[in-house]
Amino acid sequence: MPSTHHTKVLIIGAGPAGYTAAIYAARANLQPLMVQGMQPGGQLMITTDVENYPGFADPIQGPWLMEQMQKQAEHVGTKMVFDLITDVDFSQRPFVCKGDSGDTYTADSVIIATGAQARWLGISSEEIYRGFGVSACATCDGFFFRGKEIAVIGGGNSAVEEALYLTNHASKVTVIHRRDSFRAERIMQDRLFRNPKIEVVWDSVVEEIVGEGDGSLGNPRGVTGVRVKNVKSGEERVIPVAGVFVAIGHVPATAVFQGKVETDSEGYIVTAPDSTATNVPGVFAAGDVKDKIYRQAVTAAGMGCMAALEAERWLAHHEGEPSPAGNW
């Protein structure tokens, strides 16, 4: 039978931002409830070696890091619920959120930490080699391709920025773009064209990511190249590379919040300067759901901490004041 759950702090989403918010909220004795969503752990669940999260001298696995964060949040008193929020009402307090299970969650405050997902090419070979040479985060994985030739797919600011960053590690970066010009800012393009390590392949789309190995013991899976097709001539060829970075944008998981909190033209939740507060008092947003610049686990965790501290202070000032949601 569907039931109703009430909490002082409802955390929607379970990644670095959500888990950190849960840890801080629980330690503040707010007894938070976390609705984990369909993929607890977020993008780190499809990340293999993590070398840039502080506190670990040796590489760690993304899923392991998320498992540890979940255990820590539970240990300090967070209640975990495996459900998916499908509708929210932020027009009055307590806030009301509906779950796919049929359950209802009411809350005095809400922290949105549903994250974002990389926009992928949508080809089967991409999935086969994701985490084994295919990545959507140059900052996360560029280090593993030191001295190797790699490819970047895309033509916007993200693609150009990732290509420039990757020249710090790779011996050569091939940028593959389906058009004959970039959409990136002119200053970024100028930097790219001046870099001797970068080659651009115009008017081309990736048909297949080529690789070897089946992932079994002694036969590791890895990328060896990309098969591209020229959209004008139809000519196909294989470009030898050891890694492929897909940089065609990210999609924030904010569909259920559209029209309920302020979002920008790309769907990211807008927050007050130097804050995680949305335009709805008592509702906060942390992590990649509001961050389109850094998109790192450590920055998401930092924002989760901010959201919990802000929620605690907000509750202390406004608890017991059932007023309609308004603006900052």
Side-chain angles (χ1 to χ4, degrees):
M1 291 289 293
S3 56
T4 299
H5 313 267
H6 182 75
T7 179
K8 291 181 179 179
V9 181
L10 177 66
I11 301 169
I12 306 174
Y19 286 137
T20 305
I23 292 165
Y24 274 78
R27 285 176 54 81
N29 201 32
L30 295 176
Q31 300 173 323
L33 186 153
M34 171 182 280
V35 179
Q36 295 180 285
M38 294 299 293
Q39 187 183 19
Q43 294 185 73
L44 277 174
M45 296 304 289
I46 57 171
T47 304
T48 51
D49 288 347
V50 176
E51 289 192 333
N52 57 3
Y53 198 87
F56 302 95
D58 297 319
I60 56 175
Q61 297 294 299
W64 178 85
L65 179 60
M66 291 299 91
E67 179 185 356
Q68 296 304 304
M69 285 192 181
Q70 176 174 337
K71 288 180 177 179
Q72 185 177 3
E74 289 176 317
H75 177 72
V76 291
T78 302
K79 180 181 178 181
M80 302 286 177
V81 177
F82 186 70
D83 201 353
L84 177 68
I85 297 299
T86 57
D87 187 43
V88 298
D89 181 0
F90 294 156
S91 64
Q92 60 184 353
R93 296 195 295 269
F95 304 117
V96 179
C97 301
K98 301 286 188 179
D100 186 61
S101 65
D103 285 4
T104 298
Y105 304 90
T106 62
D108 299 324
S109 65
V110 173
I111 295 174
I112 301 170
T114 47
Q117 293 184 339
R119 186 178 284 115
W120 297 96
L121 298 172
I123 56 178
S124 59
S125 54
E126 176 184 57
E127 296 184 13
I128 294 172
Y129 294 103
R130 192 178 299 175
F132 300 94
V134 174
S135 173
C137 181
T139 309
C140 308
D141 300 325
F143 180 78
F144 301 113
F145 296 91
R146 288 170 294 173
K148 298 180 180 179
E149 296 188 7
I150 57 179
V152 173
I153 317 301
N157 279 341
S158 294
V160 172
E161 289 172 3
E162 300 239 315
L164 288 167
Y165 172 81
L166 288 166
T167 59
N168 296 320
H169 302 290
S171 60
K172 179 181 179 181
V173 178
T174 301
V175 180
I176 301 169
H177 186 38
R178 62 168 53 242
R179 299 182 177 86
D180 59 6
S181 62
F182 287 129
R183 302 184 311 279
E185 297 173 1
R186 177 58 60 181
I187 189 171
M188 300 297 296
Q189 294 188 44
D190 291 343
R191 291 174 186 166
L192 183 142
F193 293 135
R194 288 198 306 265
N195 196 303
K197 284 189 173 184
I198 297 177
E199 177 183 339
V200 181
V201 175
W202 302 107
D203 301 314
S204 297
V205 295
V206 175
E207 294 283 287
E208 181 187 11
I209 295 171
V210 183
E212 59 186 9
D214 59 9
S216 61
L217 186 64
N219 191 23
R221 190 176 296 159
V223 170
T224 59
V226 287
R227 181 166 59 86
V228 300
K229 178 181 179 180
N230 187 288
V231 296
K232 293 182 176 178
S233 68
E235 177 187 356
E236 294 189 9
R237 64 183 174 115
V238 174
I239 301 174
V241 293
V244 177
F245 288 83
V246 181
I248 56 177
H250 284 73
V251 181
T254 57
V256 71
F257 306 110
Q258 294 297 320
K260 309 299 175 68
V261 294
E262 183 182 355
T263 57
D264 66 13
S265 60
E266 298 175 73
Y268 288 88
I269 294 176
V270 176
T271 59
D274 301 319
S275 171
T276 63
T278 71
N279 67 311
V280 178
V283 177
F284 305 88
D288 288 8
V289 77
K290 61 146 286 182
D291 172 26
K292 59 175 127 178
I293 299 174
Y294 302 106
R295 293 195 292 258
Q296 299 297 303
V298 67
T299 53
M303 281 183 275
C305 165
M306 292 168 58
L309 293 175
E310 288 186 284
E312 179 188 6
R313 292 166 186 164
W314 186 88
L315 286 169
H317 285 90
H318 299 283
E319 203 166 15
E321 298 179 9
S323 59
N327 296 314
W328 290 315

